Amino acid sequence: MAREVQGLRGDCAAYAERLQRIAAAARHVSPEEKEQVCREQQLYCREWRRRKRMATELLDAILEGYPKSKKQFFEEVGIETDEEHHVSPPAAP
């Protein structure tokens, strides 16, 4: 047990040193990088909404002539929705 405790103390010291290096890092995100990331996120969220809308319209068109319920259709085809996984796109800015 003493060897195990000594090993864990060594691991703890290594993690503490790593944490100090991360906290003291001089490299921060520049405003340009931040703006670029924000633009990319907006683009991806817009695409997510657009694709979700297109898929919903397509599935609604298919379901017009389908004899069973929407839930049964999704189970038969194997469609997983965002709502099942409690996921939604971020709000538009």
Side-chain angles (χ1 to χ4, degrees):
M1 286 191 64
R3 276 185 269 139
E4 188 175 334
V5 168
Q6 188 66 12
L8 291 173
R9 285 186 179 155
D11 290 345
C12 183
Y15 288 132
E17 179 184 331
R18 183 174 175 210
L19 178 62
Q20 284 179 340
R21 281 186 284 142
I22 290 171
R27 186 180 188 293
H28 297 285
V29 178
S30 69
E32 295 83 22
E33 290 174 324
K34 181 179 178 183
E35 184 63 32
Q36 176 67 28
V37 169
C38 289
R39 279 194 307 262
E40 287 178 5
Q41 186 210 19
Q42 288 175 353
L43 173 70
Y44 296 141
C45 289
R46 196 172 350 165
E47 284 296 313
W48 181 1
R49 283 188 204 90
R50 185 179 66 84
R51 291 177 184 184
K52 182 174 178 153
R53 184 179 61 250
M54 287 175 21
T56 302
E57 290 172 358
L58 178 67
L59 290 170
D60 288 343
I62 292 171
L63 287 168
E64 283 180 10
Y66 193 72
K68 296 181 184 175
S69 71
K70 184 176 184 178
K71 185 175 180 180
Q72 289 173 331
F73 175 71
F74 283 9
E75 286 177 8
E76 287 179 11
V77 178
I79 297 174
E80 295 179 357
T81 63
D82 292 339
E83 290 76 21
E84 286 178 27
H85 295 283
H86 308 289
V87 177
S88 63

